[in-house]
Amino acid sequence: MADTLDSRPHTFSIKLWPPSLPTRKALIERITNNLSSKTIFTDKYGSLTKDQAMENAKRIEDIAFSTANQQFEREPDGDGGSAVQLYAKECSKLILEVLKKGPVAKVATRELISEDSASPLETFFDISKGQRAFIEAEEAEELLKPLKAPGNAYTKICFSNRSFGLGAARVAEPILASLKDQLKEVDLSDFVAGRPEVEALEVMNIFSDALQGSILSSLNLSENALGEKGVRAFGALLKSLSSLEELYLMNDGISKEAAQAVSELIPSTENLRVLHFHNNMTGDEGALAIAEVVKRSPLLENFRCSSTRVGSEGGIALSEALKHCTHMEKLDLRDNMFGTEAGVSLSKTFSSFKHLTELYLSYLNLEDEGAIAIVNALKESASPIEVLEMAGNDITVEAASAIAACVAAKQDLNRLNLSENELKDEGCVQIAKSMEEDHSKVQYIDMSTNYIRRAGARALAHVVVKKEAFKLLNIDGNIISEEGIEELKEIFKKSPELLGALDENDPDGEEEDDDEEDEEDEENEGNGNGELESKLKNLEVNQED
């Protein structure tokens, strides 16, 4: 599976842009005719000879195509209609400008056609817009033509979403080789989809050889089902990258063997800042290899190793390696099988971080012990946490006070996701109270599916509705009574958009407690919010869930 290339069905559709090669040739002939034949404009300004007309026609079409293609790139969901219109408009404008220069005019460069009409030199070349499609030699010749233009300033290219065959790869090879001293960012994600394995591997080898020795700072090889064979096909390129800052290998079938190949083939990681391994089948043994790469990357700021089947052993290895990455800003380890032991090990890394702003730890089987260790460490760390996600970790009310203390300490918090746990009303009230003071930046809270009843929901609502920056509270999938729902709507009466949908709420779980809660509400109505929530908290501890 790791070495099987993507064989998913691909959708093909007819687009108005780009025009076919015959269409472009026909337009050049028409422009030539307009420049050299008798028209109202040549009568006024004079005509060109056939040779002059042909030379200028080619350059006019090339500039118009480039301008229109930039327009198309800005409308990825369109059919290319506006690009076609701009293509025709630019051709007409440039024809007139050439004629105004007189019959002896000879255009030597793009810039001489019109200094005013020449666009600033583009630095980003992107063919990924539109429907996924195969690309063969003839189309590649035309599509990649701007990369061959003398003096082009392209430093970033994206070939994603177009499946290169051998013919197209051979067209691209000399072009890429000629640009290796100026390219800084290369995106080859999803560029061999649907190709037979043998062909795809040869295409990878061709691209690797063409780019070998380049000065890339960013390389994206995601969505190519590389496996070990694919990683090694890019071996020549990977070994030569001495200035690499960003590497993306997501959804690439990175197995244990492939991960070991990555560690072996990327010896130079001292400048690496971004490393993404999302959605692979790395497992514990593969994680050991990735941990070696992490350990050799002291400048790492953004590490993603989510959905990679990593268990406790691999989680501990990654945690140990992360201690060397003191510049970490964004850490995403979601959807693995770390368990409590790896969670505790991970908590010991946070004292090394001073710049961590985003932490994604959902679905790691942390349970209370792992969660408490992590939030305690975060509370003591200097990191200005803005995003904290710990959904689906079997966290109960036992961890609530530790979570609340951590939240209270992190005044930069923007997003908190504790969904799919078992915090119940008592935990919810504690966490809500931790945000009563300050926390002016908080915008999103997700406490869905936590066995929360009316009391917990009300506590959260009263806190967030007062936050000026707040945008959305998600408490769906809980057991809030019908009366509780009505109370929530009343709280959010002036800003209903702040309360998320409640389609999955089950009010039946609250019915037996409604009368008791209403009586408690009446008794405490005049006691102030702080005392009210304290009473609610104590009430919920003794309730049956």
Side-chain angles (χ1 to χ4, degrees):
M1 179 176 176
D3 298 319
T4 302
L5 293 158
D6 190 349
S7 59
R8 294 170 288 179
H10 303 289
T11 303
F12 298 90
S13 66
I14 297 174
K15 304 188 297 292
L16 296 178
W17 190 267
S20 66
L21 187 59
T23 298
R24 293 185 65 181
K25 289 180 177 178
L27 181 58
I28 291 172
E29 290 178 6
R30 178 178 293 183
I31 295 171
T32 301
N33 189 55
N34 286 337
L35 292 172
S36 59
S37 302
K38 182 177 176 63
T39 67
I40 57 173
F41 295 109
T42 55
D43 283 346
K44 182 176 182 179
Y45 300 112
S47 61
L48 276 62
T49 66
K50 271 289 184 181
D51 288 343
Q52 290 174 334
M54 175 63 75
E55 181 178 351
N56 279 281
K58 289 178 179 178
R59 296 182 184 277
I60 288 170
E61 191 279 334
D62 183 48
I63 291 176
F65 177 85
S66 178
T67 303
N69 198 52
Q70 292 169 25
Q71 169 68 26
F72 178 67
E73 289 173 356
R74 290 192 289 270
E75 51 169 28
D77 298 324
D79 62 0
S82 61
V84 172
Q85 293 177 1
L86 182 59
Y87 185 43
K89 181 179 178 181
E90 285 295 302
C91 284
S92 297
K93 182 176 73 173
L94 294 173
I95 287 171
L96 189 57
E97 288 182 4
V98 168
L99 288 175
K100 285 180 178 180
K101 289 178 179 292
V104 296
K106 181 177 180 181
V107 182
T109 65
R110 284 178 52 156
E111 290 74 15
L112 288 180
I113 288 183
S114 170
E115 291 181 5
D116 294 331
S117 66
S119 301
L121 290 176
E122 288 291 311
T123 60
F124 182 27
F125 181 79
D126 185 4
I127 63 171
S128 67
K129 304 298 187 292
Q131 296 287 335
R132 277 174 119 200
F134 289 101
I135 178 173
E136 305 301 342
E138 183 178 7
E139 185 182 3
E141 284 278 7
E142 198 57 40
L143 208 54
L144 304 184
K145 191 174 180 181
L147 294 177
K148 298 168 67 176
N152 77 74
Y154 292 112
T155 59
K156 179 180 179 180
I157 60 172
C158 178
F159 288 178
S160 180
N161 208 38
R162 303 302 300 271
S163 180
F164 279 73
L166 276 175
R170 290 185 177 119
V171 169
E173 183 177 16
I175 297 174
L176 294 177
S178 70
L179 298 174
K180 68 170 60 177
D181 290 333
Q182 71 185 61
L183 287 177
K184 298 295 180 63
E185 301 178 44
V186 170
D187 185 346
L188 299 179
S189 59
D190 194 24
F191 87 123
V192 289
R195 300 289 180 179
E197 179 178 318
V198 172
E199 181 181 17
L201 290 172
E202 190 168 347
V203 168
M204 292 177 191
N205 273 303
I206 289 172
F207 274 77
S208 176
D209 290 342
L211 291 167
Q212 182 181 1
S214 55
I215 53 174
L216 299 186
S217 61
S218 177
L219 177 62
N220 190 344
L221 300 177
S222 301
E223 308 290 340
N224 285 311
L226 295 174
E228 183 186 6
K229 292 180 183 177
V231 171
R232 295 196 180 279
F234 278 106
L237 172 60
L238 293 173
K239 286 181 179 179
S240 71
L241 297 177
S242 59
S243 305
L244 193 64
E245 296 180 13
E246 301 180 9
L247 177 62
Y248 303 89
L249 294 168
M250 297 182 287
N251 195 26
D252 265 335
I254 302 295
S255 60
K256 172 188 73 173
E257 293 80 10
Q260 291 169 344
V262 170
S263 181
E264 168 196 333
L265 295 171
I266 311 180
S268 180
T269 58
E270 60 268 18
N271 295 312
L272 202 62
R273 295 184 298 102
V274 179
L275 183 59
H276 282 199
F277 277 98
H278 170 68
N279 198 28
N280 285 296
M281 47 188 184
T282 312
D284 278 344
E285 292 185 73
L288 297 178
I290 300 306
E292 288 302 312
V293 178
V294 171
K295 194 182 297 184
R296 301 195 306 261
S297 308
L299 299 183
L300 199 61
E301 299 173 357
N302 184 334
F303 179 54
R304 187 179 186 189
C305 196
S306 50
S307 303
T308 49
R309 307 183 188 182
V310 177
S312 181
E313 182 185 4
I316 291 172
L318 288 172
S319 299
E320 291 293 324
L322 285 167
K323 291 179 182 178
H324 299 269
C325 306
T326 58
H327 297 272
M328 189 64 63
E329 296 178 3
K330 182 177 179 179
L331 180 60
D332 186 350
L333 301 171
R334 282 175 286 192
D335 191 23
N336 283 298
M337 301 170 284
F338 277 28
T340 298
E341 188 178 355
V344 172
S345 177
L346 180 62
S347 71
K348 298 174 183 177
T349 67
F350 296 129
S351 61
S352 302
F353 302 156
K354 294 180 175 60
H355 311 287
L356 187 66
T357 58
E358 298 182 34
L359 183 60
Y360 301 90
L361 301 178
S362 296
Y363 310 108
L364 290 177
N365 300 326
L366 296 175
E367 300 183 356
D368 286 337
E369 184 181 351
I372 290 171
I374 285 171
V375 295
N376 282 343
L378 282 178
K379 181 186 70 174
E380 299 300 326
S381 77
S383 291
I385 298 293
E386 297 175 7
V387 177
L388 177 59
E389 295 198 2
M390 299 179 70
N393 275 302
D394 296 322
I395 302 171
T396 74
V397 68
E398 296 299 321
S401 61
I403 294 173
C406 176
V407 169
K410 299 301 176 183
Q411 290 294 319
D412 291 309
L413 193 65
N414 171 283
R415 183 187 299 267
L416 177 65
N417 182 356
L418 294 169
S419 62
E420 297 184 57
N421 285 300
E422 299 176 28
L423 289 163
K424 302 183 181 178
D425 272 12
E426 182 179 355
C428 187
V429 169
Q430 291 183 63
I431 292 166
K433 286 178 69 65
S434 73
M435 291 183 285
E436 279 183 336
E437 301 297 328
D438 300 322
H439 281 89
S440 60
K441 299 178 182 179
V442 67
Q443 295 184 5
Y444 303 94
I445 294 178
D446 190 344
M447 293 285 285
S448 58
T449 319
N450 260 290
Y451 299 99
I452 296 171
R453 299 173 187 264
R454 181 177 180 179
R458 179 173 52 219
L460 273 173
H462 277 304
V463 169
V464 302
V465 77
K466 300 173 185 176
K467 306 293 184 185
E468 290 187 10
F470 198 75
K471 294 184 177 179
L472 187 66
L473 172 64
N474 183 4
I475 46 175
D476 202 8
N478 286 300
I479 48 176
I480 308 166
S481 67
E482 295 289 357
E483 291 82 356
I485 297 296
E486 291 305 313
E487 185 175 7
L488 288 172
K489 291 180 179 178
E490 180 64 24
I491 293 171
F492 287 103
K493 182 171 59 176
K494 294 183 179 179
S495 49
E497 72 282 0
L498 302 184
L499 179 62
L502 294 167
D503 300 336
E504 302 300 322
N505 181 66
D506 179 13
D508 294 337
E510 181 79 359
E511 286 178 356
E512 294 180 2
D513 301 312
D514 283 350
D515 291 340
E516 183 181 356
E517 278 194 9
D518 290 340
E519 292 173 6
E520 192 73 24
D521 290 348
E522 291 173 4
E523 292 174 10
N524 290 283
E525 189 172 6
N527 292 337
N529 288 337
E531 184 176 347
L532 171 62
E533 297 304 339
S534 177
K535 292 283 188 183
L536 289 172
K537 181 179 73 172
N538 293 331
L539 170 67
E540 292 304 303
V541 172
N542 297 316
Q543 284 183 343
E544 292 182 6
D545 295 309

